[in-house]
Structure formats: structure tokens, C-alpha cells
Amino acid sequence: MLSMEIIPVDDHITAIDHDLLGMPGIGVSYLVRGETCALVETGTALTVPHTLAGLEQLGVRPEEVEHILCTHVHMDHAGGAGYLAAALPRATVYIHGTMVEHLAEPSRLMGSVRRAVGEEAWVLHGDMLPIPLARLLPAENLRLDLGRDVVLEAIATPGHSPDHLSYREQKSGGLFIGDAAGLVMDRWGMAFPVTPVPTYDLKAHRATIAMLQRYDFPRLYVTHHGPHDDVAFQLARAHDRLEELVALVDAALADGDPDVETLAARYVPYEGDGPVGPMARSWSRMSVAGMIRYLLKQR
Ligand SMILES: [Zn+2]
């Protein structure tokens, strides 16, 4: 049996490190327990066995998980939804209404991701399994009462992607923030907003970070990676890192032809050949490309 890293968070919330990209410290799914259970974030198809092993380790039976919440349709957030739904027979899957059809019939989505990331990176995601429409619900107005004062409520947090939703949990007051303010990987010494092609929207992203700063969340449940209590610091840093990227790309565009590789190495200067190097470079490249595309469209 796989042995997963379990991160206890609150008495009713637990993070399961699901070994995204084959490494610890990159991605988690959160188990939220009231009278019934919800899983927030699915990882990819390849992380599902790890998430299921985590549930088993925690003594949660598959029938107890009644809800699977996705923050957005990217492969590391919804790619595993089909395999999870197959293994958790009573679960309903929630995602923004505009993306429901992609989970029911994922072939077009998989095709476009495959073209965007290339064959080499595609194998790190794994195929998606279609989900019967009857088990899918739109999440943008979601208010999910799990019992014992545990309630999950959707908050629209577009920018990173247009369909991005975060989920506030009433009992702890914390926010399952997905990728809305970027990633925070203390283990790997990295924190930066991801601004990917092709649908990145800077205006929406700035508004989302400003909106989140007006709330008083005691904790952020970040998908990449883990819970963070220094909320004001994390949101301020996300804001500053985002503006750094805007300035970097803006200057390169003003100079003429921006080189994605050079800019990516400056945005996320990950040194050495550590195991997360390829991931850091790939996400940095994707972010630079997304920002170039957005800023060019505005001109
Ligand atoms: Zn994403």
C-alpha cells in the first residue's frame, strides 16, 4: 500500500499530499469532515491512487465522501475528478458551470492541454475519465452544509483562470484558495503567482487579490502547497510578485522581442538541478507566456 504524507490542519480538515509530479510538497487534496465528507481539489489522474491511499490511512470509507470540489479546470485541479468519482461512488463533483461539459466529455480539453504543454509534460498528467452528467453540478453559487457547522461556500476568484472558484469554510473561517494567489512551496523555497496561457486575465487577477485582502481569513488552504496562517503576508507577497512579473514583461515588450526563456529564468530563478527545477521552469515559462499574451492583447 502507498503511504501518503498526511498534514493535520484543523480537527475537521486534513491535507493529503498526493505526490503531484511524483514529488512530495507540490500538491494536496483536502479532506473536510462534517457529518459527511468533502474532498477539495482532485490532483491529476496520476495522483488519485495517492489520495485514495490517504483516505484509507485516515480511516475514511469511499462511501463517506459525498462531495468533490474543484477550484478550476486545470489538470492538476480537476484532471483526477473522473477517477476519484469512479472510486468514491456516492460523490457529486462540483466545478464552475462553464466547465461542467469538459468533465463530462474531457476529450477536447485533453487535446488542447496536450497541445499546450507538449508530449513530454502531458505524460505527467495522465488521461481524464468522463464523469456522468448526473454526478456533476455547477459550483459558482455553492453552499454546501456538511453538518457539525462545517459549511463550504464558493467565492469567485477569477484571474489565474476565468472559471476559478475558491471555497470558504465556515467553521474555521479559512479559504481553499486553489491557485487564486499563486503557489507557496516553503519546502522548495518558492512562492509566485502562476499566470498561464491561454486564458490568463491580469485585470481580474489584480481585483481578486485585492478582494481577498479585504477579507479576514485566518488561514489559506493552498493547493500548491498546504495550509498557511500568515495570510496578510502571503497575499501581499502574491501581489508584489505579480507586479514584478508585469514590470518584467512590460519592459521586455517595450524593448522589442521578449525572450520567454530569459524572462522565465528571472521570474523564478530556481538554482541547481533539484527535483522541482523542471517544474519551476515550466510553470515560470507558462506564466511569462500568459503575461506576454495578456499584455499584447491590451496594446
Ligand atoms: Zn491552475
Side-chain angles (χ1 to χ4, degrees):
M1 193 183 120
L2 294 164
S3 175
M4 297 322 302
E5 190 174 307
I6 303 288
I7 308 163
V9 187
D10 296 304
D11 53 1
H12 62 298
I13 299 176
T14 312
I16 301 169
D17 188 314
H18 54 215
D19 220 36
L20 182 65
L21 307 177
M23 282 170 279
I26 309 276
V28 292
S29 291
Y30 289 96
L31 173 70
V32 186
R33 288 194 252 205
E35 273 150 30
T36 62
C37 295
L39 208 51
V40 183
E41 299 290 40
T42 74
T44 65
L46 302 182
T47 68
V48 167
H50 301 267
T51 305
L52 294 174
L55 290 176
E56 198 178 333
Q57 244 169 278
L58 290 165
V60 177
R61 285 177 290 111
E63 314 75 61
E64 288 179 80
V65 181
E66 296 193 5
H67 314 281
I68 298 169
L69 282 67
C70 308
T71 56
H72 60 301
V73 83
H74 289 162
M75 295 301 285
D76 47 337
H77 298 260
Y83 285 98
L84 277 178
L88 306 170
R90 295 187 59 203
T92 300
V93 179
Y94 305 85
I95 195 163
H96 195 285
T98 54
M99 297 299 162
V100 163
E101 60 174 309
H102 288 302
L103 295 197
E105 181 31 69
S107 55
R108 208 157 51 95
L109 175 67
M110 284 194 289
S112 71
V113 175
R114 201 166 180 154
R115 281 192 298 279
V117 303
E119 286 305 313
E120 201 187 342
W122 171 252
V123 297
L124 300 173
H125 294 98
D127 284 344
M128 291 172 76
L129 205 62
I131 301 171
L133 260 183
R135 296 184 64 192
L136 282 160
L137 281 178
E140 52 271 37
N141 298 311
L142 187 67
R143 187 179 185 282
L144 201 57
D145 190 340
L146 302 182
R148 298 186 193 134
D149 300 325
V150 180
V151 179
L152 290 162
E153 254 179 315
I155 298 175
T157 47
H160 170 78
S161 70
D163 63 317
H164 200 292
L165 298 170
S166 300
Y167 301 100
R168 177 160 54 163
E169 197 282 299
Q170 184 177 279
K171 189 171 177 182
S172 70
L175 184 74
F176 295 96
I177 192 171
D179 288 351
L183 49 84
V184 183
M185 294 180 182
D186 288 343
R187 184 179 316 199
W188 302 110
M190 279 191 290
F192 61 97
V194 181
T195 64
V197 273
T199 55
Y200 177 69
D201 183 338
L202 173 62
K203 190 171 172 221
H205 201 186
R206 279 173 165 157
T208 285
I209 293 175
M211 182 263 295
L212 294 175
Q213 286 177 313
R214 288 194 294 274
Y215 277 91
D216 196 15
F217 300 114
R219 179 171 289 163
L220 299 175
Y221 306 105
V222 183
T223 307
H224 317 290
H225 169 278
H228 291 273
D229 290 344
D230 48 352
V231 175
F233 169 77
Q234 294 298 349
L235 292 175
R237 182 169 61 181
H239 166 275
D240 293 351
R241 289 288 273 135
L242 180 61
E243 295 310 325
E244 235 176 83
L245 177 61
V246 173
L248 192 69
V249 172
D250 224 6
L253 285 171
D255 279 353
D257 201 16
D259 179 53
V260 173
E261 286 301 325
T262 309
L263 294 172
R266 285 181 60 193
Y267 181 43
V268 184
Y270 190 78
E271 303 293 336
D273 298 320
V276 286
M279 182 280 288
R281 282 187 284 276
S282 149
W283 288 5
S284 185
R285 254 185 247 124
M286 211 178 2
S287 296
V288 166
M291 189 61 78
I292 290 174
R293 189 175 193 274
Y294 178 88
L295 293 178
L296 280 177
K297 254 193 330 197
Q298 302 307 305
R299 292 188 166 198

